[in-house]
Amino acid sequence: MNILVINGPNLNLLGERSSDIYGTKTLKEIEKEMRSAAKGNKIKFFQRNGEGEIINIIHKHIKWADWMIINPGAYTHYSYAIRDAIEVCKIKTVEVHLSDISKREAFRKKSVIKDVCKKQIKGLKEKSYIKALEFCISNGKK
Ligand code: DQA
């Protein structure tokens, strides 16, 4: 299977960013762990700070990706454009968060992408990504 992993704004600063909330791993370290857990599946990683850039990556992978794992960062809470891109691309998608957005500030509790994703995994710091990958692999292409 082909698995697309997209990280949104400020996630390039993981490792330096409030480690009590987001953990101590850098994005590069998380990517390395995901590659080791990929079980022969192909994974492509992208990190972009811009909403339009994220949408362009989704569009480019409509044919390629069987699954998408996405952490849209703060866009999670208000980007109807990313939500629509996920809906229109029809790539099976897992929403991931390092922190537990349901237990944080009021503006973070709402995810506008949740209902167009197969699953939401949150609150496990970097392990959220591994859980998401395991979910994709165990559900396969169906
Ligand atoms: C986040 C949660 C968002 O509210 C925040 O803006 C992020 C990271 C998380 O992974 O916990 O950038 O998506």
Side-chain angles (χ1 to χ4, degrees):
M1 288 199 302
N2 293 336
I3 302 168
L4 174 66
V5 181
I6 303 180
N7 279 286
N10 301 307
L11 292 163
N12 51 314
L13 296 179
L14 282 181
E16 308 169 25
R17 202 182 162 191
S18 333
S19 57
D20 48 327
I21 300 174
Y22 298 118
T24 53
K25 300 266 179 190
T26 64
L27 198 53
K28 278 272 156 289
E29 288 167 334
I30 293 174
E31 289 177 4
K32 202 171 163 208
E33 282 185 21
M34 289 180 86
R35 280 197 201 286
S36 326
K39 299 197 169 145
N41 296 288
K42 285 194 192 129
I43 313 196
K44 279 196 202 175
F45 295 98
F46 294 90
Q47 186 281 325
R48 294 291 186 276
N49 291 319
E51 188 179 26
E53 295 173 290
I54 293 171
I55 293 166
N56 287 338
I57 290 166
I58 296 173
H59 291 176
K60 279 195 187 123
H61 290 84
I62 287 179
K63 292 214 173 96
W64 183 84
D66 297 300
W67 281 92
M68 167 162 64
I69 295 171
I70 186 164
N71 181 351
Y75 290 134
T76 305
H77 315 300
Y78 64 92
S79 176
Y80 298 120
I82 291 178
R83 182 212 178 279
D84 285 354
I86 296 169
E87 186 175 39
V88 79
C89 77
K90 298 198 166 64
I91 304 168
K92 295 183 290 295
T93 299
V94 182
E95 173 187 357
V96 160
H97 301 284
L98 297 130
S99 65
D100 185 349
I101 55 172
S102 69
K103 299 200 175 122
R104 297 185 62 198
E105 303 97 314
F107 75 91
R108 292 189 207 272
K109 292 189 202 296
K110 171 82 185 161
S111 163
V112 300
I113 72 162
K114 190 176 178 194
D115 71 322
V116 292
C117 294
K118 299 281 179 204
K119 196 164 177 70
Q120 184 193 62
I121 298 176
K122 57 184 186 302
L124 305 171
K125 302 212 166 92
E126 73 281 354
K127 299 264 179 310
S128 295
Y129 290 88
I130 302 296
K131 281 259 177 234
L133 183 59
E134 286 167 359
F135 180 84
C136 299
I137 294 170
S138 65
N139 282 278
K141 278 202 184 200
K142 67 176 184 203

